[in-house]
Amino acid sequence: MSSTQAASKADFDVIIIGAGISGINAAYRVQTELPNATYTILEARDTIGGTWDLFRFPGIRSDSDLHTFGFEWRPWQAKKAYADGQMILDYMKDAAAAYGIDEKIKYHHHLTAADWSSADQLWNLEVTANGEPKTLTAHFCIMSTGYYDYSKPLDADIPGLENFKGTVVHPQFWPSDLDYSGKNMVVIGSGATAVTLLPVVAETAKHVTMLQRSPSYILVRSSNTLQERVMHAILPRWVALKLVRWTWIILPWIFFRFCKACPAASKSLMIALTKMHLPKGTKMEPDWVPSYNPWEQRLCTSPDADFFLGLKTGKSDVVTGTISQVSADAINLDDGRTLHPDIIVTATGLRICFAGAVTISVDGEKVDPSSKYIWKGMMVQDLPNIAFPSGYLHSSWTLGADASAIMTCRLIKHMQTQNISAAIPRLSLGGEEDMEDSSWKMSSTYMRRGKSALPRGGDRGAWWSRNNLWKELVAARWGNLTNGLEFVGGSRWGVGGN
Ligand SMILES: Cc1cc2nc3c(=O)[nH]c(=O)nc-3n(C[C@H](O)[C@H](O)[C@H](O)COP(=O)(O)OP(=O)(O)OC[C@H]3O[C@@H](n4cnc5c(N)ncnc54)[C@H](O)[C@@H]3O)c2cc1C
Ligand SMILES: *[C@@H]1O[C@H](CO)[C@@H](O)[C@H](O)[C@H]1NC(C)=O
Ligand SMILES: *[C@@H]1O[C@H](CO)[C@@H](O)[C@H](O)[C@H]1NC(C)=O
Ligand SMILES: *[C@@H]1O[C@H](CO)[C@@H](O)[C@H](O)[C@H]1NC(C)=O
C-alpha cells in the first residue's frame, strides 16, 4: 500500500457517507477486511441511526425481523424478533461502540458534491462541516445514504387538505407534543407506516380510521416462534443464534418464491389468513382484498396480530375509498361517505432520493445516475471507485447492503494488491448497450414516483439488479470481481498530507 505519487495521496483511503445501519455495517466490514485502510464516516445529522432516529411516530418499529435486519457480526439477542425504534437505535449504538466505529464518525458533515479527479485518481468531496465548506479526499467512497429524502416527504396529493382546520401530521415529522388522547384520527395510507401506527394510537385516541385507496396484504407473524424457543432450549447459544438467523432468511424466502410461483394460490392463502384475524362475519370486499398478488408490493407485517386487536374492540376501523375533497372539518369520499377527524395523519410515503442528493461528477462533468446502469447491484456505470450499497424490497435491507459492503472490500483489496487505482464499470466491455431497464419492479406509489431518480437495473452479465438473495450472497464473497470493470493502473493507495 505504499504510494509512489505524493500528488495523489488522499485524506482517507475510504470515506463512508451516512451513519445509518448500512454505514455502520460498511464501517465494520472496512475495518475488519481492510485493517490497514484509513476510513471515516461523514454524517449530516448529529447522531447515529438514520431512519431509526429520524422517525418518531408512536409505535415505530421494524417490519423485518432483527435477526436479519441486524448485523451478521452482532447477533440480535432479544427474544422479540420485531423491535421498536428505540431498541434498534440502542442496538446500533451499542454495536458501533463495541467496535470503535462511533469514534470514526464526523457528525454535522453534510456531503453536497463529489467530483472524481482522473488526474489525481481520487474523489474530491465538498462537505458542509458544521456550517463551513470543507473539501475531503478519498480513494474510494461508500454511499450509505439510504434511499429517501430526509427533509421532504412525498407530497400527500390530497385534494383540499389545506382547508382542514384540525391538525395534519406526517409520520416523518411527528410532533413530540402531539396530544391525541380522546381525539378522532384518520390515518391516510395502507403501507407499513399506517399498519404500524394504527394499533398504537388506537390505545389512546377516541377512535382511529385507516383510510386506504386500496388494501395491502398484512402478514401476521409471530415475534418469538416455537422453533426459535426449541433451538434455544436444546442448542448452545451461539449455534442457536446462527440457526435462528438462517431460518429467518430461508423461510421468508421460500414464502416469497411460493408467492411468485403460485400467485393465485398465495392470494387465496393470504386472504384466508387475514380472515382468521378479523372479527367474525367481516366482509372481505372491498377492505381486505388487494388488487395485486402477494409480493408485487412489499408485504406489511403485523407482529403477533397487533393490527387486528383494535378492530375487534371497535377502537379502530378500516375504510376503503377515494377522497373527493377535504373540508374544514371533514374528509368527503367519492361514494358520499364522510369522516370527521380531529387529526389527519398522512402516511403517504417517502420521497425517493438517490445517494443523499449529492451532485456527482467526473472531472467536473455532472453525471445523471438515472441514465446509467447498476453494476452488480452496487456500483454505477462510468463512476470510478464508488459503491452504493442498497438493500432488498422483499427481505431485510441490511442483507443486501451487507452483500455490497463485503464485495466492496474484496474489490478494494484486489485493487490494492494489483496496484490498481481506479475501477470503473463500463457497459461497452461486454457489448451490453441494448439492455432494458428491469430495476425496482415493485409497484407501490412511492417506488413508481421515485423511479426516475434511480439508476437502471440491467438484465445480463454483471448488470443484474438486486433481486436474488442467494446469487448475491455468493457473488459478494466468491463471485467474479472483474467482469464489466475497466481498471486504471498505478500504485496510488495510502494517505498523506496534501
Ligand atoms: C418507518 C420505516 C420503517 C422501516 N422498516 C424497515 C424494515 O423493517 N425493514 C427494512 O428492510 N427496511 C425498513 N425501512 C427502510 C429503512 O430505511 C432501511 O431499511 C434502513 O434503515 C436503511 O438504512 P441506511 O443506513 O441505508 O439508510 P438510513 O437509515 O436512511 O441512513 C442514512 C444516513 O445517511 C445520512 N445521509 C444521507 N445523505 C447524506 C449526505 N449527503 N451527507 C451526509 N450524510 C447523509 C442520513 O443523515 C442518515 O443518517 C424502513 C423505513 C422507514 C422509514
Ligand atoms: C498491514 O500492515 C502491516 C504493517 O505494515 C503488515 O504487516 C500487514 O501485512 C498488513 N495487513 C494487510 C491485510 O495488508
Ligand atoms: C505494486 O507496486 C509496488 C510498488 O510500486 C511494487 O513493488 C509491486 O511489485 C507492484 N505489484 C504488482 C502486482 O504489480
Ligand atoms: C471474470 O470474468 C472475466 C470476463 O468475463 C474473465 O475474463 C475473467 O477471467 C473472470 N475471472 C475469474 C477469476 O473467473
Side-chain angles (χ1 to χ4, degrees):
M1 283 202 289
S2 62
S3 176
T4 50
Q5 293 190 10
S8 66
K9 281 188 175 171
D11 297 326
F12 295 93
D13 285 318
V14 180
I15 293 186
I16 298 166
I17 320 299
I21 202 158
S22 315
I24 304 293
N25 185 66
Y28 173 85
R29 294 296 180 201
V30 166
Q31 67 181 31
T32 45
E33 301 296 318
L34 308 164
N36 289 348
T38 54
Y39 84 93
T40 190
I41 304 175
L42 308 182
E43 170 53 59
R45 304 176 75 236
D46 61 1
T47 183
I48 279 181
T51 299
W52 303 100
D53 182 75
L54 177 72
F55 277 78
R56 297 292 176 135
F57 63 79
I60 167 103
R61 61 157 169 84
S62 65
D63 228 23
S64 305
D65 64 280
L66 262 292
H67 300 293
T68 60
F69 190 70
F71 306 113
E72 189 200 13
W73 41 274
R74 190 83 177 166
W76 179 251
Q77 309 260 359
K79 279 217 172 67
K80 274 181 165 276
Y82 299 95
D84 62 41
Q86 190 60 49
M87 278 175 83
I88 299 175
L89 203 51
D90 291 345
Y91 164 80
M92 287 173 64
K93 286 181 176 165
D94 178 57
Y99 290 91
I101 295 167
D102 52 348
E103 287 160 21
K104 302 284 193 171
I105 304 172
K106 295 181 192 295
Y107 295 107
H108 295 295
H109 276 56
H110 184 190
L111 176 65
T112 54
D115 181 54
W116 173 261
S117 161
S118 297
D120 296 330
Q121 294 285 297
L122 46 72
W123 283 101
N124 288 296
L125 304 181
E126 300 304 326
V127 178
T128 308
N130 298 299
E132 301 287 320
K134 179 167 156 184
T135 305
L136 289 171
T137 54
H139 293 292
F140 208 106
C141 289
I142 302 179
M143 304 295 281
S144 300
T145 52
Y147 62 88
Y148 62 85
D149 193 322
Y150 268 60
S151 53
K152 254 194 317 205
L154 196 63
D155 288 331
D157 205 11
I158 298 165
L161 187 62
E162 66 282 0
N163 304 328
F164 187 65
K165 290 282 184 286
T167 308
V168 178
V169 295
H170 192 284
Q172 190 163 336
F173 304 104
W174 193 274
S176 58
D177 58 352
L178 182 70
D179 179 13
Y180 52 93
S181 56
K183 298 276 169 59
N184 279 313
M185 295 175 83
V186 170
V187 179
I188 302 175
S190 61
T193 300
V195 169
T196 300
L197 194 57
L198 194 79
V200 179
V201 291
E203 287 172 12
T204 313
K206 188 170 167 202
H207 184 85
V208 193
T209 297
M210 181 167 112
L211 173 59
Q212 55 184 13
R213 209 163 23 198
S214 61
S216 310
Y217 291 101
I218 302 169
L219 182 60
V220 171
R221 292 200 258 199
S222 166
S223 56
N224 183 15
T225 60
L226 179 64
Q227 76 258 18
E228 269 169 56
R229 293 197 300 270
V230 171
M231 283 185 227
H232 275 292
I234 62 176
L235 293 168
R237 186 161 180 79
W238 70 270
V239 182
L241 286 171
K242 278 223 178 319
L243 267 182
V244 165
R245 180 179 149 86
W246 277 103
T247 52
W248 278 100
I249 295 178
I250 291 167
L251 296 180
W253 177 78
I254 291 173
F255 181 68
F256 173 74
R257 295 312 316 170
F258 163 69
C259 292
K260 289 288 161 193
C262 314
S266 65
K267 183 165 187 172
S268 308
L269 175 69
M270 281 300 299
I271 290 169
L273 287 174
T274 305
K275 194 169 181 150
M276 270 169 42
H277 293 285
L278 289 169
K280 280 218 166 48
T282 306
K283 269 192 24 226
M284 297 309 283
E285 297 273 4
D287 299 335
W288 305 103
V289 182
S291 59
Y292 56 91
N293 293 317
W295 277 123
E296 282 171 13
Q297 295 187 16
R298 208 169 210 279
L299 286 192
C300 300
T301 304
S302 169
D304 306 315
D306 60 348
F307 178 80
F308 295 94
L309 297 178
L311 300 176
K312 285 182 177 144
T313 60
K315 289 279 280 183
S316 59
D317 65 357
V318 171
V319 169
T320 308
T322 305
I323 299 172
S324 62
Q325 189 73 23
V326 177
S327 65
D329 62 351
I331 300 176
N332 301 299
L333 303 184
D334 272 352
D335 58 13
R337 283 181 292 176
T338 308
L339 305 170
H340 293 279
D342 304 307
I343 299 171
I344 295 177
V345 181
T346 53
T348 44
L350 309 167
R351 181 189 295 271
I352 300 280
C353 155
F354 180 69
V358 173
T359 306
I360 301 176
S361 55
V362 174
D363 298 325
E365 192 101 6
K366 199 175 166 220
V367 174
D368 172 14
S370 68
S371 68
K372 304 288 184 183
Y373 281 94
I374 304 174
W375 179 85
K376 297 196 179 176
M378 65 171 241
M379 285 177 80
V380 170
Q381 175 198 347
D382 300 334
L383 292 182
N385 293 17
I386 188 167
F388 303 86
S390 76
Y392 294 104
L393 295 174
H394 54 78
S395 54
S396 290
W397 180 266
T398 325
L399 289 174
D402 192 32
S404 297
I406 289 170
M407 181 127 107
T408 300
C409 290
R410 267 181 70 212
L411 178 60
I412 294 175
K413 209 182 272 179
H414 175 78
M415 292 167 72
Q416 289 180 334
T417 54
Q418 302 298 313
N419 291 343
I420 293 163
S421 59
I424 316 165
R426 294 284 194 210
L427 213 50
S428 53
L429 296 176
E432 284 137 344
E433 286 96 337
D434 59 336
M435 265 183 314
E436 298 255 329
D437 186 358
S438 70
S439 58
W440 303 81
K441 280 198 178 125
M442 295 234 176
S443 54
S444 65
T445 311
Y446 77 88
M447 280 299 165
R448 277 199 313 274
R449 285 173 58 183
K451 213 179 139 318
S452 59
L454 299 171
R456 304 163 176 200
D459 57 8
R460 72 194 73 157
W463 306 92
W464 35 265
S465 53
R466 175 130 277 169
N467 59 18
N468 185 331
L469 178 71
W470 304 109
K471 186 165 115 186
E472 285 158 42
L473 291 182
V474 171
R477 287 178 172 81
W478 303 284
N480 190 315
L481 263 182
T482 59
N483 59 340
L485 287 186
E486 176 192 321
F487 291 117
V488 178
S491 172
R492 304 211 187 187
W493 289 83
V495 298
N498 59 337

